[in-house]
Amino acid sequence: MPDIHSTPTQREYDALIIGAGFAGMYQLLCLRDRLGLNVQVLEAGKGVGGTWYWNRYPGARCDSESHAYSYTFSKELYEDWDWSERYPEQPEIMRYMNHVADRFDLRRDIQFDTRVVGARYNDASNRWTVTTGAGETLIAPFLITAVGSLSTANVPAIPGLEDFAGEWYHTGQWPHEDVDFAGKRVGLVGTGSTGIQAIPVIAEAAAHLTVFQRTANYSVPAQNAPLTAEFKQWVKDSHAEIRHVTRANTNGQAFYIEDRSVWDVTPEQRNALYDAAWAKGGLQFRGVFRDLLFDKAANDTASTFLKNKIRQIVNDSATAELLADIDHPYAAKRPPIDTGYFETFNRENVSLVSVRATPIERIVPAGIRTTETEYPLDIIVFATGFDAMTGPLLRLDIRGRDGLSLREAWATGPRTYLGLQVVGFPNLFTITGPGSPSVLTNMPVAIEQHVEWITDCIAHLRTKGATRIEPAAEAVDNWVAQVNTAANATLLPQASSSWYLGANVPGKPRVFMPYAGGMARYRAICDEVAANGYQGFALSY
Ligand code: N01
């Protein structure tokens, strides 16, 4: 029975943050503990973790190395935490994030189980009103989205899904209970980083696994392993050095791209370098030569090496050819790394279907039907990625001045200044928003940079007595042009099916969304903008 004394709740804060992943947790800490603001975080999940809270599919593991995939803002936190493996598994990342939440007493200002369904800016009061799914309203002058770039699941609209008699899952909305694959015929759609992580693990558990591949993909072995005591000690002793490297390079990783061209070495030396990088494993493969992402002929040498590896590993030549039939330059799509991916296709219980050659026609109660045949299945796993970068923001139904919706403002693609702010949406900050390096980097590094910049900006506004910040239209035009120039200087736009371009979501504008000019350059631009009195932004008093 409803309480007759209850009134609609309307709570006021200095700042509201949406999301309690890496970004929201650190933003809370900065605004609350460093600036002394009254802050509320709203989080849809029942716990902290953000993207990692939902992405708990079999084999989920970070592709950045653990010593780089950490907060670095606190030396004590960095030195106290022990990662167990070279690449942390999802449960270990969740333990880390819960440890951070406890250590900094963050939970008391996070409201869990709360999905934001709308945010409106009121020009007269210069306040944001945020509405939750339960009908609460919260008000604050500053609204900060910390919703991640890869958090809106892309479930393909394949006809017949609702009729499927078995179970189906999307990797980005994985249930918290175990999914039992034993004795089951499983179909997995998608061979991006997620599918490539999940396929070997599901293949071990299932009676049979059918992989439905649309675009073949490169992959380099992760060479994951438990960390030795010696390495762990080195990490603890090297906080300053690791923090410096991750902040000084282009991709936020703990390694530099070699300052060496593909054409500086002989073909034999080149292959030896690729072999060594393959044996070492991981995303460093991209760093063997500086021109891999800029010179197509240079990239072809890496591409040929990697396709030959597939042919060496996979026994069945027809399957090997399907897997090696890759249509884009190496690393023009986010390069996956794996543990036994190509080897999995040598198992008796695994088969590969090219849905490029024989597209999926529909899902039927018994399984998946392609133009060629029907595949009987008990479970379908969609490893079909995300409505990346813009999806998590657009689903919040954000409306700025005069009711302008973000969806309208971005009808032809995202338009931001530095990936941080949007014209018509004063005092809204988008952590790792489109137009910032975000997904082209190691995310915690991009997050720390954005959070610290936003914190300094809000501190500056308060010191100066300014109440409102919004980018100038000209600054946005100029930044959008710089984002395009940076992308066009690379091979990245050549991967026509890439989610960087929004190509994986039907009807989404084809715009290269992240800033490809490198994390170090981007940081320098942001620092300069701030040093010049927030150049390109209009401050009102
Ligand atoms: O998603 P994806 P993901 N029918 O979009 C296919 C990060 N990540 O979840 O290429 C058939 O890359 C699609 O085919 P195509 C990482 O940044 C990080 O794998 O569109 N197939 C593709 O093969 C990564 O890049 C970690 O032709 C369909 C696949 O599904 C990002 O997340 C770990 C289809 C989707 O690949 C996204 O990776 C894992 C359809 N209708 C992921 N629709 C870390 O380590 C889509 N596909 C931190």
Side-chain angles (χ1 to χ4, degrees), residues 52 57 61-63 150 154 156 189-195 197 214-215 333-334 355-356 383-386 497 499 504:
W52 291 106
Y57 57 85
R61 187 183 287 286
C62 185
D63 286 348
L150 297 160
N154 171 41
V189 184
T191 50
S193 296
T194 301
Q197 284 186 340
R214 188 162 71 182
T215 304
K333 292 176 96 168
R334 157 71 152 71
V355 297
R356 180 153 294 180
T384 45
F386 303 91
S497 64
W499 58 259
N504 62 326

Side-chain angles (χ1 to χ4, degrees), residues 240-251:
E241 183 189 334
I242 293 167
R243 181 170 155 88
H244 171 75
V245 176
T246 59
R247 291 159 76 96
N249 69 19
T250 57
N251 52 27

